[in-house]
Amino acid sequence: EVQVLESGGGLVQPGGSLRLSCATSGFTFSSYAMTWVRQAPGKGLEWVSVISAGGGSLYFADSVKGRFTISRDNSKNTLYLQMNSLRGEDTAVYYCAKSSSSWSPNDAFDIWGRGTMVTVSS
Amino acid sequence: QSVLTQPPSVSGAPGQRVTISCTGSSSNIGAGYDVHWYQQLPGTAPKLLIYAYINRPSGVPHRFSGSKSGTSASLAITGLQAEDEADYYCQSYDSSLSGSVFGGGTKLTVL
């Protein structure tokens, strides 16, 4: 069974840092690009970042560029999102999603985790 | 304001047909990039419903279908059922932003 499980969310003060993890199983992790998508409370979906299957291509939404970093460990089938200089507007559920190919900017996201909540507040 | 524009809400009675539009521009849908659709049931994660405009992943009922016209895409749901009540999102790629973009979402209410 294909599984994607996010962890690492929690309450953090403005300006703080947090590292999210996404553990996967049931598919060949190293063959697929992976994506982070977030959803603020009561709001719509916002694409955050994508990393290619091999990790050589990374892209970020303008809203997080320079503050967030995406990485992956293909030996551990795990995706990461390092979030620095956090702001109140980063408060959201963060979803990890599998892309439908190794790398295409126009991929669909075919497997989603349940998400992990990040709250930025003093 | 989302790059892809969707109606905030649509509604229909059980058994009826509803459509949800997704309007883009020359840097996304109009540039030839595919549109994908997601269903988000209350309190759950999004689920891929339609990919590359018209394709259904395994397990998605044939009641759900997609289409494209110019710089817009549409999701149609026929034979509405109470379990279809959810938020629906379109997604594509935008070359000006160099990233994926979502529509603002459409809340479907089954009357």
Side-chain angles (χ1 to χ4, degrees):
Chain A
E1 181 188 4
V2 176
Q3 287 194 329
V4 170
L5 183 63
E6 305 90 340
S7 62
L11 175 63
V12 60
Q13 293 189 338
S17 298
L18 212 54
R19 187 199 200 198
L20 305 183
S21 298
C22 172
T24 72
S25 61
F27 66 98
T28 306
F29 180 74
S30 59
S31 295
Y32 295 95
M34 296 293 295
T35 292
W36 288 98
V37 174
R38 69 184 181 183
Q39 186 171 35
K43 303 297 184 182
L45 301 175
E46 180 188 14
W47 173 78
V48 173
S49 181
V50 63
I51 184 169
S52 60
S57 296
L58 319 171
Y59 290 90
F60 299 90
D62 287 344
S63 57
V64 306
K65 202 170 293 183
R67 300 187 299 123
F68 289 13
T69 301
I70 190 172
S71 63
R72 63 191 296 159
D73 186 335
N74 285 347
S75 68
K76 295 183 178 179
N77 297 333
T78 302
L79 174 72
Y80 303 99
L81 185 68
Q82 177 67 43
M83 305 185 295
N84 299 328
S85 303
L86 283 162
R87 308 166 179 167
E89 54 264 39
D90 296 318
T91 295
V93 174
Y94 284 73
Y95 294 104
C96 165
K98 170 186 167 292
S99 294
S100 52
S101 77
S102 61
W103 172 246
S104 165
N106 201 191
D107 270 342
F109 310 135
D110 54 10
I111 303 293
W112 294 65
R114 294 183 178 182
T116 186
M117 182 71 202
V118 172
T119 303
V120 184
S121 174
S122 55
Chain B
Q1 190 142 355
S2 302
V3 172
L4 303 179
T5 301
Q6 299 179 232
S9 63
V10 297
S11 62
Q16 286 190 332
R17 178 181 186 270
V18 296
T19 61
I20 298 172
S21 61
C22 174
T23 302
S25 67
S26 58
S27 60
N28 41 70
I29 299 175
Y33 293 107
D34 288 337
V35 170
H36 318 296
W37 291 92
Y38 301 86
Q39 178 192 58
Q40 187 175 32
L41 297 170
T44 70
K47 167 191 165 185
L48 180 62
L49 198 63
I50 298 285
Y51 64 96
Y53 285 108
I54 61 171
N55 301 288
R56 282 182 303 274
S58 174
V60 173
H62 286 77
R63 304 186 295 104
F64 295 92
S65 63
S67 63
K68 175 189 179 183
S69 177
T71 57
S72 293
S74 292
L75 173 70
I77 309 172
T78 57
L80 263 184
Q81 299 181 2
E83 67 207 48
D84 298 333
E85 195 160 279
D87 293 323
Y88 293 84
Y89 295 90
C90 60
Q91 176 237 328
S92 187
Y93 175 81
D94 191 281
S95 57
S96 297
L97 298 174
S98 297
S100 289
V101 289
F102 285 95
T106 299
K107 182 176 181 59
L108 168 63
T109 300
V110 180
L111 302 171

